[in-house]
Amino acid sequence: MQSEKPVVMANQRAAAERKKPFRLKGEGMFIFLCLLPALLFVAVFTYYPLLRGVVMSFQNYTLFDLLNIQFIGLDNFVSVVTSPDFPRVAMNSFFWVVCSLFFQLLFGLTLALLMRRRFRGRGIYQAFVFFPWAMSGFLIGLIWRWMFNAQFGVINDLLMKTGMIDAPIPFLADGMWAMAAVIIANIWYGVAFFAIMILAALQSIPEELYEAAAMDGAGRFQQLWSVTLPYILPTMLVTILLRVIWILNFPDIIYSMTNGGPAGSTHIFATFMIEKVIFGQDYGQASAIGVIIVLILLLFTVFYVKATRVEKGGDF
Amino acid sequence: MKVSKWLSAVLSLALSMGLVAGCSQSATNPPASSPEGGNGQAKETITLKMVESITSPQRTELLKELLAQFEAKNPGIKVDLVSPPFEGADQKITQMLMAKEELDVLEVREFNAKQFSMNGFIENLKPYTDKWKNYDQLTDIAKRRATWVDNTPYYIPNGLYQRVLFYRTDWFKEAGLEVPKTWDELLAAAKKLTDPAKNRYGYSFRGGPTGWDYALITMWAYNGKEVDPASAFFLKDGRTVFSTPESLQALAFYKQLYKEASPADSVSWGFQEMVQRFVSGSTAMLIQDPDVIDGAKEKMKEGTWATAPLPIGPSGVAQQVVGGPGWGMTAYSKHKDEAWKLIEFLSDPDQSTTYAKRTSVIPVVKSAAEDEFYKTGYFKAFIDMNAQADTFIDVSRPVDYKGWGAWQSTADKDIQSYLLDKISAEDLLKKWDQYWSKEKAERK
């Protein structure tokens, strides 16, 4: 009973501390002032454009007539959502994210597990695996565009030489093939990020856990299932969340490979938005698409965090 | 200790302010250029800011040369040239205008001239052209480009971009073919020259970005003189060009040209691909602007290729949209007289012809037609076409309509859908006909 007193008093003191109104002075003021420049930067370069975009999405903001800009309520959103392109763009965006993510995770995990063990030339192998991540998305698109080319592309050439096809396949001239092609290019690009993140998590698993598992008679597969995967799960969950956001907002590869074509069959929200700006010169509708993207990602993030109960990052 | 803390806080703030200020430093405060001798400013130097749109390294180099000559002639004026990358240059210029950024002379394109004038971004040059002795030196097409918005000169064209047929003389000779004069002859020749086993195709098709433009060329050629040259999506009787049986025939022909004489992946080709395939020896024919000539000279053997006038349609004519970008002045320029001086200098017949020769564009001044350079060789086809204005008709697109941008953003998709058999020609034409009929009805 006596020993509980100090604890109670400490708790009361802590509660009183919490109730104190927050005042900026001395140390706090100093920290705030040091942070102020960064805050100003974030406000000017992140929040201002974001708010401007939201405001624009409710205006008839077209380059054709800048002298007559007015608020038009939800008209831009209605135009975007009711346009004949919208269902296909939404479906494409879904496939683009899900297929890219699934295979990036699968191959990234496999490569990370392979690279975990020491072997001759591991450094060179890792450099090759991580290399795509250092390239620009637009450049990757251009490279894959040539690789998938019907006349001169290396992919058609290989398929012809191995006798798998009789005539070249015009990959980028067919809607289904084109979607598959851009997803393949994106998988090649994104595998590296998963591999890097998972490898970092793998290297932090204490060796004793495996020794203990081995002593309990666990085989290789069981060790993977019961030790490795649970340990790297938080990292994987956070990486998946990041990648969903990035992939949905990543028009580079599609834009340089297909421009969203043929016949709009590879358009995702991000490329659709670019098209509205460049050809349509309609900043209002483009902003509305931007707001729709943000809302989708916000909903997804809330749902995802609740479903997976990820409250803090993994082993970064 | 405390002092050092505060000092570091103030320093970090000052540093970031400096960064922001550095980012936003504009040409309004150029470094004072001290005159020779360095004994203070003899006279205040005016700095003009100029921006180009059709940027390429060679062209920027040439403009810098011309600007150096201008500065030498006008010691009190300096010119600061901005050269945004070609892709997105027009967006960049629009943003500069919207932000009222310091800018005096800009390159205006025929498709944004209306937008710029409507928004009050560019100056009406009539007070200047009225007093300009060389205005009448401009060719008729160049004058039409200069005044096509509200019949008012908003810019002075610097060169004309019009299309001709580029073809492989060696392949034609090999196959015993004559250069095609009509679209039907072009299709027949293209089919004969197509041999996928050899990776050879008859025609460099453009189904990708701005591919709709080529579909329009064939529709115009089929509809002939019924098309209204001032707004070529409409006929002279007010209906749209998409409402006629001739347009239906034109689309059938267009699909045949793609399916039977062009590579399958050309459904997504843009400018780069169509030109690249011609110069690399994979396609026999290409319809493009004169700026392709330089690249072809560089990559192809002399004597293996030539240019010819555009093929004409069953109607006996061939319409073309002659692009004519040029130099305009911002309405808010603080140095309008000096800006005009610069435009006048760049548009002088001698300068203009030099510029046209070096950038491979069609000259805008009458005197160039007498120049030996244009009477022979690759440019002859352009001059020949311009000499037959009744057969090769200069038309304008309805870029001054509010719905132009929205239509343009879906037109490529529609054409690709048709080429890939996802929609019928009738449905495509019906869609476009309804769209443009509505646009016309809503236009005040």
Side-chain angles (χ1 to χ4, degrees):
Chain A
M1 287 298 269
Q2 284 294 323
S3 60
E4 279 179 24
K5 240 184 179 178
V7 178
V8 172
M9 282 170 70
N11 285 344
Q12 281 169 346
R13 264 202 308 276
E17 281 290 318
R18 276 199 298 274
K19 277 178 194 165
K20 256 190 201 172
F22 177 73
R23 283 209 192 92
L24 277 177
K25 58 180 188 186
E27 198 80 12
M29 186 59 145
F30 170 72
I31 292 168
F32 173 73
L33 280 177
C34 283
L35 286 175
L36 195 60
L39 282 173
L40 282 172
F41 265 88
V42 173
V44 170
F45 294 109
T46 303
Y47 291 107
Y48 172 72
L50 184 74
L51 287 171
R52 189 81 187 83
V54 173
V55 171
M56 263 189 196
S57 68
F58 294 101
Q59 293 177 322
N60 61 341
Y61 203 111
T62 65
L63 291 189
F64 189 80
D65 191 3
L66 291 166
L67 302 178
N68 185 32
I69 293 168
Q70 294 159 344
F71 282 95
I72 51 168
L74 292 170
D75 283 9
N76 285 328
F77 292 91
V78 172
S79 300
V80 167
V81 174
T82 57
S83 91
D85 292 315
F86 190 80
R88 187 175 49 192
V89 169
M91 192 60 83
N92 283 349
S93 301
F94 178 77
F95 275 114
W96 164 249
V97 172
V98 171
C99 296
S100 300
L101 191 80
F102 176 77
F103 288 105
Q104 284 177 13
L105 173 62
L106 186 73
F107 295 140
L109 176 64
T110 310
L111 286 169
L113 289 169
L114 288 171
M115 288 188 298
R116 188 185 176 196
R117 306 259 167 253
R118 288 195 176 281
F119 55 88
R120 191 184 290 275
R122 184 171 74 154
I124 296 167
Y125 185 71
Q126 280 181 352
F128 271 112
V129 169
F130 299 155
F131 172 69
W133 193 248
M135 288 171 74
S136 101
F138 201 82
L139 182 63
I140 289 166
L142 291 176
I143 291 168
W144 281 89
R145 183 180 185 147
W146 274 107
M147 284 168 66
F148 277 114
N149 186 284
Q151 279 174 278
F152 309 108
V154 68
I155 294 170
N156 265 308
D157 193 46
L158 281 172
L159 293 172
M160 294 274 282
K161 279 179 177 159
T162 52
M164 291 169 81
I165 54 172
D166 300 325
I169 301 168
F171 289 107
L172 302 181
D174 174 272
M176 290 288 284
W177 278 119
M179 196 68 207
V182 294
I183 288 171
I184 288 168
N186 195 28
I187 291 166
W188 181 81
Y189 169 68
V191 159
F193 186 70
F194 271 105
I196 295 166
M197 300 300 280
I198 295 170
L199 186 62
L202 285 173
Q203 285 168 343
S204 67
I205 302 175
E207 203 55 42
E208 298 83 50
L209 291 179
Y210 290 105
E211 287 167 13
M215 282 173 75
D216 288 342
R220 271 286 168 87
F221 181 76
Q222 221 172 345
Q223 284 181 22
L224 173 73
W225 191 252
S226 309
V227 177
T228 310
L229 288 179
Y231 206 92
I232 62 171
L233 190 65
T235 303
M236 275 180 13
L237 291 175
V238 172
T239 310
I240 287 168
L241 178 64
L242 283 174
R243 289 301 292 149
V244 167
I245 295 167
W246 291 349
I247 293 170
L248 191 66
N249 283 317
F250 186 58
D252 312 31
I253 285 178
I254 292 180
Y255 215 77
S256 54
M257 266 178 91
T258 63
N259 265 308
S265 54
T266 54
H267 259 318
I268 58 168
F269 284 120
T271 54
F272 192 43
M273 184 167 77
I274 292 171
E275 191 177 75
K276 287 278 180 208
V277 170
I278 291 180
F279 292 111
Q281 303 193 322
D282 194 331
Y283 283 65
Q285 282 194 23
S287 301
I289 297 168
V291 171
I292 290 169
I293 295 174
V294 170
L295 289 175
I296 290 169
L297 287 173
L298 213 61
L299 280 171
F300 167 78
T301 307
V302 169
F303 172 78
Y304 182 86
V305 169
K306 280 206 180 307
T308 57
R309 291 210 172 81
V310 177
E311 279 165 21
K312 55 175 184 275
D315 306 311
F316 285 91
Chain B
M1 208 53 208
K2 230 176 185 176
V3 171
S4 68
K5 268 187 191 177
W6 283 106
L7 192 66
S8 57
V10 170
L11 272 177
S12 71
L13 191 65
L15 196 66
S16 37
M17 289 302 182
L19 265 173
V20 173
C23 287
S24 63
Q25 187 160 36
S26 71
T28 46
N29 306 316
S33 53
S34 71
E36 60 281 3
N39 303 322
Q41 294 285 81
K43 188 184 165 195
E44 198 190 338
T45 303
I46 285 169
T47 301
L48 295 176
K49 195 167 181 184
M50 169 178 167
V51 64
E52 60 171 321
S53 157
I54 311 169
T55 314
S56 76
Q58 300 81 354
R59 185 180 189 261
T60 303
E61 215 44 56
L62 171 62
L63 282 176
K64 281 180 177 166
E65 263 178 56
L66 295 173
L67 295 177
Q69 288 173 30
F70 173 76
E71 286 174 351
K73 275 190 175 178
N74 300 277
I77 310 174
K78 262 185 96 314
V79 186
D80 184 3
L81 176 68
V82 180
S83 306
F86 174 70
E87 300 285 342
D90 294 309
Q91 278 80 28
K92 165 77 181 167
I93 293 170
T94 306
Q95 281 161 5
M96 288 172 90
L97 292 167
M98 282 162 73
K100 292 274 191 292
E101 249 183 72
E102 197 74 21
L103 186 61
D104 303 286
V105 175
L106 72 158
E107 188 158 28
V108 183
R109 310 281 296 272
E110 64 282 356
F111 57 78
N112 57 24
K114 175 75 180 180
Q115 176 196 313
F116 288 174
S117 65
M118 251 188 83
N119 292 318
F121 291 151
I122 51 176
E123 185 76 0
N124 172 356
L125 299 180
K126 195 154 177 21
Y128 301 97
T129 54
D130 282 345
K131 294 177 199 157
W132 184 36
K133 67 180 194 304
N134 287 325
Y135 187 65
D136 283 326
Q137 283 289 313
L138 294 175
T139 60
D140 291 346
I141 292 185
K143 269 189 193 169
R144 277 203 296 276
R145 283 298 83 91
T147 59
W148 96 269
V149 175
D150 308 329
N151 215 9
T152 304
Y154 276 105
Y155 65 97
I156 307 299
N158 52 34
L160 300 176
Y161 291 75
Q162 54 191 113
R163 291 177 183 147
V164 287
L165 175 71
F166 290 74
Y167 69 102
R168 291 290 304 251
T169 48
D170 51 351
W171 293 12
F172 272 71
K173 206 171 165 185
E174 218 175 85
L177 291 164
E178 289 293 313
V179 57
K181 290 187 172 63
T182 66
W183 279 108
D184 286 338
E185 287 174 15
L186 183 139
L187 177 63
K191 276 158 75 171
K192 200 170 176 184
L193 291 166
T194 297
D195 183 358
K198 279 191 188 170
N199 250 337
R200 276 189 182 186
Y201 291 87
Y203 183 68
S204 255
F205 194 88
R206 180 168 179 168
T210 336
W212 52 262
D213 200 15
Y214 283 79
L216 256 301
I217 287 175
T218 53
M219 283 189 225
W220 289 331
Y222 272 70
N223 283 283
K225 294 199 173 180
E226 296 304 308
V227 177
D228 177 7
S231 190
F233 279 23
F234 301 98
L235 303 173
K236 285 172 181 166
D237 65 9
R239 288 179 301 144
T240 76
V241 77
F242 312 114
S243 61
T244 66
E246 286 81 5
S247 291
L248 202 60
Q249 289 168 26
L251 275 183
F253 164 87
Y254 195 63
K255 187 183 268 191
Q256 225 183 332
L257 187 60
Y258 166 65
K259 296 250 182 194
E260 296 175 24
S262 312
D265 61 345
S266 62
V267 73
S268 57
W269 285 5
F271 172 83
Q272 297 287 5
E273 291 88 351
M274 71 193 296
V275 172
Q276 223 283 326
R277 294 307 169 79
F278 177 74
V279 300
S280 66
S282 143
T283 55
M285 286 180 278
L286 163 80
I287 290 175
Q288 254 307 340
D289 289 335
D291 50 352
V292 169
I293 291 174
D294 270 357
K297 271 184 186 171
E298 210 176 288
K299 292 189 176 77
M300 297 168 83
K301 270 193 197 146
E302 184 72 35
T304 62
W305 65 285
T307 56
L310 274 180
I312 53 175
S315 63
V317 298
Q319 287 90 336
Q320 53 167 343
V321 176
V322 180
W327 304 116
M329 185 196 300
T330 57
Y332 56 84
S333 168
K334 292 189 186 86
H335 312 291
K336 285 182 181 168
D337 290 342
E338 290 80 4
W340 171 252
K341 226 178 204 176
L342 174 57
I343 294 170
E344 195 179 27
F345 172 82
L346 293 169
S347 310
D348 173 84
D350 288 345
Q351 294 289 16
S352 181
T353 309
T354 305
Y355 167 89
K357 281 180 186 175
R358 295 211 14 214
T359 52
S360 273
V361 293
I362 307 306
V364 294
V365 287
K366 291 171 183 167
S367 55
E370 300 310 312
D371 195 318
E372 209 53 43
F373 181 85
Y374 293 106
K375 280 183 168 175
T376 54
Y378 300 119
F379 284 93
K380 187 177 179 296
F382 295 95
I383 303 299
D384 288 350
M385 280 168 65
N386 289 348
Q388 304 170 66
D390 282 348
T391 305
F392 300 100
I393 302 166
D394 171 36
V395 299
S396 298
R397 303 185 198 106
V399 294
D400 50 340
Y401 277 70
K402 193 169 183 288
W404 171 254
W407 177 82
Q408 207 191 184
S409 70
T410 62
D412 282 340
K413 281 199 288 266
D414 294 338
I415 282 285
Q416 286 178 334
S417 298
Y418 165 65
L419 291 169
L420 297 172
D421 302 321
K422 290 186 186 334
I423 57 168
S424 67
E426 288 84 356
D427 287 348
L428 170 71
L429 290 173
K430 194 175 158 190
K431 181 183 174 183
W432 287 5
D433 177 43
Q434 283 173 349
Y435 185 92
W436 285 104
S437 299
K438 189 165 166 265
E439 278 294 313
K440 198 177 176 87
E442 284 175 359
R443 201 175 187 217
K444 285 142 190 95

